[in-house]
Amino acid sequence: MITAKLKKGNHLGFILVMLILIVSLTLLFSADVSAEETERLELIAEEVVSGGPPPDGIPPIEDPQYLSIEDADPRIGDSTVVFVAEFEKETYIYPQNIMVWHEIVNEEIAGEKKIITYCPLTGSALGFKGNISAGQTTMGTSGNLVNSNLVMYDRETDSYWPQILGRAIEGELKGEVLEEFPVIWTRWELAKDYYDEARVLSRETGFARDYDRDPYGSYAVSGDYYDSGGPIFPVMNQDEQFEDKKVVIAGRLNRTPFSLSKNRLAADSLINFTVNEEELVAIYDDNLDTARVFLSSYNNEEIVLNYDEGEIRDEQTNSVWNERGQAISGELTGAELDQVNAFDVMWFAWYAFYPESKDNLIY
Amino acid sequence: MIAIIKQIVKDRTSIIIGAAAGLFFLVMYHISIDYLHLTGRAQFSFNVLAGGWDLALRQRAPYLWESLAILNFHRIQFFISPLNLLLGLLLAILILFNIAAAVFSYRYKRSCNLKIRQSLSGVLPALLTGFACCAPAFLIALSPILPAFFTIYFIQLQRFLIPASFILMVTGLYRNLHKLAVQFPDPESLPG
């Protein structure tokens, strides 16, 4: 009986020790991650510099007006870069020659705030949902930059959010991450044929700007800021190996950054790659000269896609897939791969935020 | 000094040359802030934006405010910002008087020891204004050769260029008028 009591006591003691150990290790581990993350955000926040304008000196478009493709077409050159946001019911097109003067469009679709952003200095266009822990918000331009990238501020708490990071680096919401949605970087000549029902951002922005002129140059010709020279503002990390203005398709999988050369993807059409032991596939869409990245799995089963005689087929069932990650014929018809948001960005800017992304770079 | 100013204003040649320089500056100032430029489309229109004075008082950058109206005259587009028009006019008037004083002293140099070079130096600070306004274009154009840290210093410096230009022009004008007043104690006796 005594032995039994001792044994019971031993068991309880062992369980207690193990529990304390697990809790301590968990706390220690999470504290380490949090401290590391906090330190990283603080380092980034220390590098914020003034770009010259005051807050909202580059005025976001707060009440966007739209035109039909037919009405917008005469004022947009075929080679003009446009950003496309596909929502459930409607598609919106944002011409770069307007966005370059405003950088942010605050939109509300089906009661939800959406923020379409473009930073000309880093060549990055991203979409964010306006849901933050402090409620629904719109974003403004802070007039500051970090790593040459637009620093936004939310109108609820004034926290600072670098566009490429999509995460607050300073203020009440420090550490919070914005939910992204894909914004497609393409050209007007492709978008107007592909999305014939889309709504196109109008020049009636409420501000006087020369929308026929881009202060940084032009994407249509070479030798301008967009494809030559280095960053105008200081950056935290600079890579010596690759060209600063090389366009990469970049994204994050569970906060691990990855990037692929857009030219390489356009040449190969499809690239399978691995991030953190997770299989991904990047597919080039020549209809829009854009790229999309997907998880290479469906219903927890691995799906390996390959180009085969002009068609994308999976190795497992030989089903045919399209550039949107949808199975269009074969056994898996109707299946859809989960998209991982990835966007065009100049290499120098991505590297400046994520030097570790070189480990997951396909060049 | 009031007497010499009256005499300069009465001197048509000095004032016309000064006014031409002031007008030239006003045009160049609006070109440098990109509020006066050529567009790709020829049109004639005048549009007042909806924002009213809230918009007109909204700052885009140091000493740069939003426009309230857009005037399209053939291929010339003019963004009308009341505050920038006012600032440009103020600086243009300073240039007008600096130039007029320089021309005046040149015309009467036989009886005046003031050197034209000295008088014109009062206008040089106006170049700072142009430099301040062109800064963004300047930085973008030189980005391939300028180190990035230069941008930071330049942006910090930029906000002081227009006040510096203003103060230097006022100082230069005062100095020149003072010298002219000393040289011509009785300006009305000068030949017309």
Side-chain angles (χ1 to χ4, degrees):
Chain A
M1 200 182 201
I2 293 168
T3 319
K5 268 188 181 174
L6 274 173
K7 274 186 181 171
K8 200 177 175 185
N10 277 350
H11 278 303
L12 279 172
F14 177 74
I15 290 166
L16 201 66
V17 167
M18 286 309 286
L19 268 174
I20 291 169
L21 197 69
I22 289 166
V23 170
S24 309
L25 280 174
T26 310
L27 283 173
L28 191 71
F29 180 72
S30 57
D32 268 0
V33 169
S34 166
E36 195 183 310
E37 285 291 308
T38 307
E39 193 185 345
R40 184 189 171 104
L41 296 177
E42 275 167 8
L43 279 175
I44 295 172
E46 279 171 21
E47 296 296 320
V48 171
V49 294
S50 168
D56 290 334
I58 297 168
I61 300 175
E62 309 291 353
D63 182 22
Q65 306 294 308
Y66 296 95
L67 299 171
S68 66
I69 294 274
E70 295 73 36
D71 291 341
D73 193 33
R75 297 298 305 270
I76 309 177
D78 276 352
S79 61
T80 301
V81 167
V82 295
F83 312 121
V84 181
E86 296 173 344
F87 297 116
E88 210 172 302
K89 288 182 181 163
E90 278 180 309
T91 297
Y92 292 75
I93 299 179
Y94 300 91
Q96 182 269 345
N97 59 315
I98 300 176
M99 292 298 286
V100 73
W101 294 103
H102 299 281
E103 301 191 354
I104 293 176
V105 174
N106 285 307
E107 181 53 274
E108 189 166 330
I109 295 163
E112 191 179 49
K113 290 199 162 57
K114 310 267 198 225
I115 305 138
I116 294 89
T117 66
Y118 166 62
C119 176
L121 289 173
T122 53
S124 46
L126 282 101
F128 299 104
K129 292 183 180 174
N131 305 322
I132 52 173
S133 58
Q136 285 245 331
T137 189
T138 57
M139 288 280 178
T141 58
S142 68
N144 294 324
L145 301 161
V146 63
N147 287 328
S148 231
N149 183 229
L150 156 71
V151 176
M152 311 179 288
Y153 74 95
D154 71 76
R155 263 89 179 245
E156 293 297 314
T157 71
D158 281 346
S159 299
Y160 273 11
W161 307 77
Q163 180 224 28
I164 288 177
L165 213 56
R167 189 170 192 194
I169 54 164
E170 206 176 292
E172 202 180 303
L173 302 182
K174 183 173 165 182
E176 198 164 313
V177 179
L178 286 173
E179 194 181 339
E180 296 173 14
F181 60 82
V183 169
I184 296 166
W185 181 301
T186 182
R187 295 189 304 278
W188 177 243
E189 61 190 333
L190 302 173
K192 71 179 176 183
D193 289 339
Y194 198 85
Y195 302 101
D196 51 356
E197 297 289 315
R199 304 176 74 194
V200 185
L201 183 68
S202 144
R203 291 174 175 229
E204 300 300 319
T205 60
F207 296 94
R209 295 291 186 276
D210 181 8
Y211 294 119
D212 291 320
R213 200 182 63 80
D214 181 334
Y216 299 96
S218 168
Y219 282 102
V221 295
S222 60
D224 284 336
Y225 172 81
Y226 294 127
D227 71 350
S228 306
I232 297 179
F233 288 86
V235 290
M236 295 170 72
N237 305 290
Q238 200 149 13
D239 178 43
E240 301 292 329
Q241 200 177 348
F242 302 117
E243 292 164 53
D244 285 329
K245 305 287 174 68
K246 186 94 179 168
V247 176
V248 292
I249 304 297
R252 289 165 282 251
L253 183 67
N254 303 327
R255 293 197 188 161
T256 303
F258 63 84
S259 49
L260 308 93
S261 156
K262 191 173 185 180
N263 283 346
R264 161 92 188 270
L265 181 60
D268 292 3
S269 297
L270 185 149
I271 296 175
N272 288 297
F273 62 106
T274 311
V275 176
N276 273 354
E277 296 178 1
E278 188 98 46
E279 298 298 324
L280 297 171
V281 60
I283 306 175
Y284 177 72
D285 181 352
D286 58 1
N287 294 311
L288 292 168
D289 183 26
T290 194
R292 296 185 189 88
V293 176
F294 303 95
L295 291 177
S296 296
S297 61
Y298 178 68
N299 279 348
N300 295 324
E301 295 290 328
E302 190 184 15
I303 297 286
V304 179
L305 300 181
N306 288 303
Y307 247 101
D308 182 19
E309 292 175 0
E311 284 183 325
I312 305 169
R313 288 182 181 273
D314 66 72
E315 286 178 3
Q316 285 70 22
T317 68
N318 209 31
S319 299
V320 179
W321 298 72
N322 66 15
E323 298 84 357
R324 294 174 162 272
Q326 298 160 329
I328 49 172
S329 75
E331 193 184 313
L332 291 176
T333 302
E336 211 165 315
L337 299 180
D338 287 334
Q339 190 169 351
V340 176
N341 191 36
F343 51 90
D344 290 39
V345 59
M346 291 172 184
W347 168 244
F348 85 83
W350 187 247
Y351 184 83
F353 280 108
Y354 297 109
E356 72 272 27
S357 73
K358 223 168 169 182
D359 300 338
N360 290 314
L361 168 71
I362 296 167
Y363 213 73
Chain B
M1 198 181 285
I2 300 293
I4 197 73
I5 294 173
K6 278 183 183 168
Q7 201 59 30
I8 291 170
V9 172
K10 270 188 204 166
D11 188 71
R12 279 177 61 112
T13 310
S14 301
I15 215 73
I16 286 171
I17 294 173
L23 189 65
F24 177 73
F25 170 83
L26 193 60
V27 170
M28 292 310 290
Y29 168 74
H30 276 90
I31 290 172
S32 74
I33 60 173
D34 201 27
Y35 278 14
L36 186 63
H37 48 249
L38 294 177
T39 61
R41 279 195 345 156
Q43 55 181 323
F44 297 90
S45 64
F46 180 73
N47 301 315
V48 178
L49 297 170
W53 280 102
D54 280 349
L55 183 66
L57 296 172
R58 192 168 162 167
Q59 233 182 340
R60 288 180 62 180
Y63 305 101
L64 185 67
W65 291 270
E66 287 290 350
S67 310
L68 200 56
I70 306 170
L71 174 69
N72 284 295
F73 186 78
H74 193 57
R75 287 189 58 215
I76 297 170
Q77 191 168 52
F78 182 31
F79 293 160
I80 303 167
S81 154
L83 293 184
N84 281 105
L85 202 56
L86 201 67
L87 179 63
L89 271 172
L90 193 68
L91 294 166
I93 288 168
L94 283 172
I95 285 177
L96 184 161
F97 278 106
N98 267 298
I99 294 282
V103 174
F104 185 84
S105 66
Y106 178 75
R107 274 165 58 77
Y108 302 106
K109 62 184 173 187
R110 281 181 195 163
S111 47
C112 172
N113 285 331
L114 194 66
K115 289 176 183 160
I116 182 86
R117 202 173 47 197
Q118 210 172 18
S119 307
L120 281 173
S121 66
V123 182
L124 290 179
L127 295 177
L128 291 179
T129 318
F131 195 55
C133 300
C134 293
F138 175 79
L139 289 173
I140 293 162
L142 292 181
S143 66
I145 53 166
L146 283 180
F149 70 84
F150 177 82
T151 314
I152 304 300
Y153 294 118
F154 192 82
I155 283 172
Q156 284 168 354
L157 183 70
Q158 190 197 357
R159 66 191 67 197
F160 299 109
L161 293 180
I162 286 182
S165 162
F166 179 78
I167 291 166
L168 290 172
M169 276 201 285
V170 169
T171 314
L173 180 62
Y174 177 79
R175 201 187 56 191
N176 289 341
L177 289 176
H178 181 71
K179 281 185 179 171
L180 281 171
V182 172
Q183 292 295 325
F184 303 112
D186 181 17
E188 288 189 11
S189 65
L190 287 168

